[in-house]
Amino acid sequence: MPADPFKPPFHHAILNARSLTEAGRWVGLSQPAMSVALRKLRDQFGDELVADVGGERRLTPLAQALRPRVRRLLRDVGDTFRLQIDFDPAVAVRTFTIAAPEQLEIMLLGRVIPDLLRAAPGVSVTVLPFTRSSSANAFETGADMLVIPQRFAVEGLQSRVLMTERPSCMVWDDHPGFGDEITPEHYLEARHVAVFERPGPNAQLDGPSRDLLDARKIAVRTSLHGALPNLVLGTDLVATASSWLLQHFASMMPLKVLSFPIATSPEPIIAQWPPHLDHDAAHAWLLEQVVRATCEFL
């Protein structure tokens, strides 16, 4: 009987389970059989791989290096067996996993996913958090697609430009100091709310625009872009973030968006995906939904 392509191999189980007994349950082997399998792996690599230190399971440096590679290979095998030549969203049952920074997740949740779920009632979507150093790792943790600023692109992978962003400012409609524009002088005099992140809302800012951003008087810091509208509402604070994100907030609350005081260049936002999905009809459909929902921001 052929091996089940969706059952993890014993290599993966040994490197990821909390114990050899648990690893055996994952793959349907007894504890003695798993002990034999571990001994063969140790002989093959000339390394202990897994050791018991003070009652705690520890992986050797070689095992730690092997674990993401085995996980990636296992995922590629699974995705190969799930590859779809045809995809009918009306009847499909599938989970799509997207990784995106928080501000882009707001866009995905608000613009892409509602239409996607209406078109494909059997489809589910998971949006994973994205950190600025995790582009390549996101695929190893299960992402089918990244939606990220171009500066975080994974080298060598295909990508599609979805939209562009540039920084703007957001204030309360009844802000006492601003009308329909904000000058560099007013920007420096104002109090600001900022999101904890370095670099700032657009890492491509440089020269005078970067200097202006760095010289802000920050009165409030938050960890979430989603908190910005509630912090600005009813105050004299100024928020600086992606223009399309601030426009989204202003469409729902008494807030207004002003141009950043100094001209800036737009930054592309892209979609990227692993090579094994290049010819997958379901992935092509997902990309089409994301492109359609974001193209107006180009």
Side-chain angles (χ1 to χ4, degrees), residues 180-253:
D180 294 327
E181 64 178 23
I182 180 171
T183 66
E185 293 75 22
H186 289 153
Y187 190 83
L188 291 176
E189 291 170 1
R191 299 194 304 164
H192 294 259
V193 55
V195 178
F196 277 110
E197 59 177 355
R198 288 294 288 178
N202 187 324
Q204 292 186 333
L205 290 177
D206 55 16
S209 54
R210 179 81 257 171
D211 294 340
L212 187 66
L213 197 68
D214 290 341
R216 289 176 296 174
K217 298 175 183 176
I218 298 176
V220 180
R221 290 188 183 273
T222 177
S223 62
L224 298 173
H225 286 84
L228 291 177
N230 290 324
L231 291 170
V232 167
L233 200 63
T235 74
D236 64 350
L237 296 173
V238 178
T240 303
S242 298
S243 178
W244 63 261
L245 178 66
L246 300 185
Q247 292 286 358
H248 171 72
F249 293 145
S251 70
M252 300 182 291
M253 301 182 187

Side-chain angles (χ1 to χ4, degrees), residues 32-276:
M34 289 302 295
S35 295
V36 172
L38 176 57
R39 185 166 63 249
K40 290 180 178 179
L41 282 179
R42 285 170 169 168
D43 290 342
Q44 177 180 342
F45 288 102
D47 187 272
E48 282 295 297
L49 298 177
V50 180
D52 187 359
V53 180
E56 183 179 351
R57 180 180 180 274
R58 298 273 183 88
L59 297 181
T60 67
L62 176 60
Q64 292 174 356
L66 286 171
R67 185 157 64 172
R69 298 187 182 192
V70 172
R71 187 185 302 123
R72 183 168 59 249
L73 289 171
L74 181 62
R75 177 167 179 199
D76 287 348
V77 169
D79 285 336
T80 298
F81 279 91
R82 295 183 181 94
L83 185 69
Q84 292 180 263
I85 303 302
D86 298 308
F87 180 76
D88 182 353
V91 297
V93 177
R94 178 156 174 169
T95 297
F96 293 115
T97 303
I98 304 171
E102 184 229 348
Q103 64 271 34
L104 291 170
E105 181 175 348
I106 292 172
M107 177 272 293
L108 287 169
L109 292 174
R111 299 186 64 86
V112 179
I113 293 178
D115 288 343
L116 185 151
L117 295 181
R118 279 191 289 270
V123 161
S124 59
V125 181
T126 299
V127 183
L128 299 176
F130 173 86
T131 59
R132 294 169 183 262
S133 60
S134 67
S135 298
N137 292 337
F139 293 125
E140 294 181 1
T141 57
D144 301 307
M145 179 184 292
L146 305 182
V147 178
I148 54 175
Q150 191 173 54
R151 63 185 180 273
F152 301 124
V154 182
E155 187 175 354
L157 295 187
Q158 288 197 54
S159 63
R160 173 76 177 266
V161 175
L162 302 174
M163 55 193 286
T164 57
E165 66 172 358
R166 66 174 78 227
S168 290
C169 303
M170 181 176 70
V171 298
W172 181 35
D173 262 352
D174 294 328
H175 191 290
F178 300 139
D180 294 327
E181 64 178 23
I182 180 171
T183 66
E185 293 75 22
H186 289 153
Y187 190 83
L188 291 176
E189 291 170 1
R191 299 194 304 164
H192 294 259
V193 55
V195 178
F196 277 110
E197 59 177 355
R198 288 294 288 178
N202 187 324
Q204 292 186 333
L205 290 177
D206 55 16
S209 54
R210 179 81 257 171
D211 294 340
L212 187 66
L213 197 68
D214 290 341
R216 289 176 296 174
K217 298 175 183 176
I218 298 176
V220 180
R221 290 188 183 273
T222 177
S223 62
L224 298 173
H225 286 84
L228 291 177
N230 290 324
L231 291 170
V232 167
L233 200 63
T235 74
D236 64 350
L237 296 173
V238 178
T240 303
S242 298
S243 178
W244 63 261
L245 178 66
L246 300 185
Q247 292 286 358
H248 171 72
F249 293 145
S251 70
M252 300 182 291
M253 301 182 187
L255 303 163
K256 59 184 175 184
V257 178
L258 309 175
S259 297
F260 191 70
I262 296 177
T264 59
S265 299
E267 179 179 23
I269 302 299
I270 65 169
Q272 278 199 302
W273 55 90
H276 66 265

